Amino acid sequence: MANFPERVFSGIQPTGNLHLGNYLGAIVKFVALQQTHECLFCVVDLHAITMPQAPGELREAIRRIAAAYIASGVDPVKNIIFNQSQVSEHSELAWVFNCVARMGWLNRMTQFKDKAGKDRENVSIGLFAYPTLMAADILLYRATHVPVGEDQKQHVELTRDIAQKFNNDYAESIAAQGHNGGFFPLPEPLIQGPAARVMSLRDGTKKMSKSDPSEFSRISLADDADAINQKIRKAKTDPEPLPTELEGLKGRPEAENLIGIYSALSGVAAEKVLLEFGGAQFSSFKQALADLAIHKLGPIGAEMRRLEGDPGYIDQVLREGGARAKAIAQPIMNQVKDIVGLLR
């Protein structure tokens, strides 16, 4: 395998309001990665339309994700922030990968099964095929690393399978074009840090989700101090005091979730959090957690609201980011066409 320069790609769908799980599971990592890697952060709007979207609401949601990136500390000058649909090569490469990937691979994707449910015959082809678009998103920039949650790891594995099959199927043509050791890298998933999987505040066995009908199941990045305080105060817990050791969190998903959130927001290991709060009732711990969450998230929410009030600036960031992304993507897509045998 050839040596590829390290490059990070990740994206967030513009559906619903971003919440604490998105922030701790993804955006915090984006902010850290920009210090060490070349990064592209995408608003994956083509993925969003695999489910019905109101056009006006979708446009606002795209801007909201971009505002969240910037408000959280992602630098739009140092990094490339753009929306996927501005770079048509995403769709072009996705079609090539539709012809490389196998039906059996896509049939095994658990997220399709979860989203389609029992109504599989009536969902869009886009929902079924969106893992090949996700592979195109990553490989269009020959990205080597993808920060993802545990539930997205399967899609990165599929991306690796598609890259490997493309490299094998077109090995002779790839070599003839002067590429030794394969054209696409096999990207690695980056799953790191505490609270990579933040659970619902109403049910510690379910992931915090934008689609949960209860607003009290999640803390949105745009929530003000009163909303954050109220949601944490009403978070589900059990009647026992907090344990003093990690072992005592077993079988107590709500307690484990709240300790994990405190640990991730504070940067303090869960063991040390329990040393401080172990033996205490949840009421006092919840107040400390609410104060911490307001301190960390309050400025982000305020900056998001300010940025959303200036859509012209957000559109400029996305437009300039799209041009920078296309400058990388277009030559790579042209090489793919040459390798496959498409005349241009």
Side-chain angles (χ1 to χ4, degrees):
M1 181 58 66
N3 287 323
F4 295 89
E6 290 196 354
R7 179 179 285 157
V8 169
F9 178 93
S10 195
I12 294 178
Q13 278 200 47
T15 52
N17 288 319
L18 285 180
H19 55 68
L20 181 64
N22 302 125
Y23 176 71
L24 293 176
I27 298 177
V28 166
K29 295 181 176 62
F30 298 172
V31 174
L33 283 166
Q34 70 181 345
Q35 307 302 327
T36 55
H37 290 75
E38 177 191 357
C39 299
L40 296 100
F41 297 122
C42 188
V43 184
V44 287
D45 48 4
L46 294 175
H47 286 289
I49 63 170
T50 58
M51 303 295 280
Q53 305 291 336
E57 292 177 11
L58 179 59
R59 278 188 285 271
E60 290 308 307
I62 292 166
R63 292 185 179 113
R64 191 176 306 122
I65 299 295
Y69 282 150
I70 299 166
S72 299
V74 176
D75 185 341
V77 176
K78 185 173 184 178
N79 309 281
I80 297 176
I81 299 175
F82 71 108
N83 57 306
Q84 180 188 28
S85 61
Q86 294 213 38
V87 183
S88 58
E89 286 80 4
H90 283 260
S91 301
E92 290 186 74
L93 187 57
W95 179 256
V96 174
F97 287 166
N98 281 343
C99 301
V100 172
R102 305 292 91 179
M103 286 285 289
W105 297 358
L106 297 183
N107 276 324
R108 289 194 293 271
M109 293 292 105
T110 56
Q111 280 210 336
F112 170 72
K113 295 174 186 175
D114 293 343
K115 289 187 177 182
K118 296 178 181 178
D119 201 26
R120 290 180 64 168
E121 295 300 315
N122 287 322
V123 299
S124 70
I125 292 170
L127 186 63
F128 179 74
Y130 93 95
T132 57
L133 177 57
M134 184 173 177
D137 297 336
I138 297 164
L139 295 173
L140 182 58
Y141 304 97
R142 298 170 99 186
T144 56
H145 294 85
V146 187
V148 290
E150 190 67 43
D151 60 331
Q152 289 286 325
K153 189 177 177 183
Q154 187 184 35
H155 289 132
V156 180
E157 291 167 354
L158 177 72
T159 299
R160 291 168 58 89
D161 290 341
I162 290 172
Q164 185 67 69
K165 190 170 189 301
F166 182 93
N167 289 342
N168 291 341
D169 289 353
Y170 294 102
E172 188 175 333
S173 183
I174 289 168
Q177 298 290 334
H179 304 285
N180 296 316
F183 183 73
F184 287 120
L186 305 185
E188 297 285 345
L190 291 174
I191 302 173
Q192 66 214 48
R197 190 174 174 85
V198 178
M199 312 308 282
S200 166
L201 298 179
R202 306 302 295 161
D203 183 349
T205 65
K206 293 181 180 178
K207 188 179 175 184
M208 188 175 285
S209 170
K210 292 181 278 189
S211 59
D212 192 305
S214 172
E215 279 291 327
F216 284 89
S217 69
R218 60 187 169 270
I219 296 170
S220 297
L221 286 191
D223 282 345
D224 60 20
D226 288 342
I228 293 171
N229 191 53
Q230 189 178 27
K231 288 178 178 181
I232 291 177
R233 194 159 40 83
K234 292 192 173 184
K236 183 182 177 184
T237 54
D238 57 54
E240 299 298 319
L242 282 166
T244 56
E245 297 180 351
L246 287 177
E247 187 72 21
L249 291 174
K250 287 187 176 177
R252 301 177 65 184
E254 286 80 21
E256 184 176 13
N257 185 41
L258 294 181
I259 291 293
I261 291 170
Y262 191 101
S263 172
L265 283 173
S266 65
V268 174
E271 295 92 337
K272 291 186 177 179
V273 176
L274 289 175
L275 282 177
E276 181 178 354
F277 293 101
Q281 296 299 317
F282 273 104
S283 56
S284 58
F285 172 69
K286 281 182 174 181
Q287 190 56 59
L289 177 56
D291 291 344
L292 175 63
I294 290 166
H295 174 71
K296 289 284 187 176
L297 302 179
I300 294 172
E303 180 63 3
M304 276 184 67
R305 289 187 288 274
R306 187 191 71 80
L307 289 168
E308 287 184 65
D310 187 1
Y313 169 71
I314 295 294
D315 291 355
Q316 180 185 349
V317 167
L318 293 171
R319 193 163 48 247
E320 291 176 356
R324 291 165 64 196
K326 195 173 186 74
I328 300 171
Q330 194 170 52
I332 291 173
M333 189 64 221
N334 283 341
Q335 291 176 80
V336 169
K337 290 177 180 177
D338 293 342
I339 288 166
V340 171
L342 301 175
L343 200 60
R344 60 183 182 87

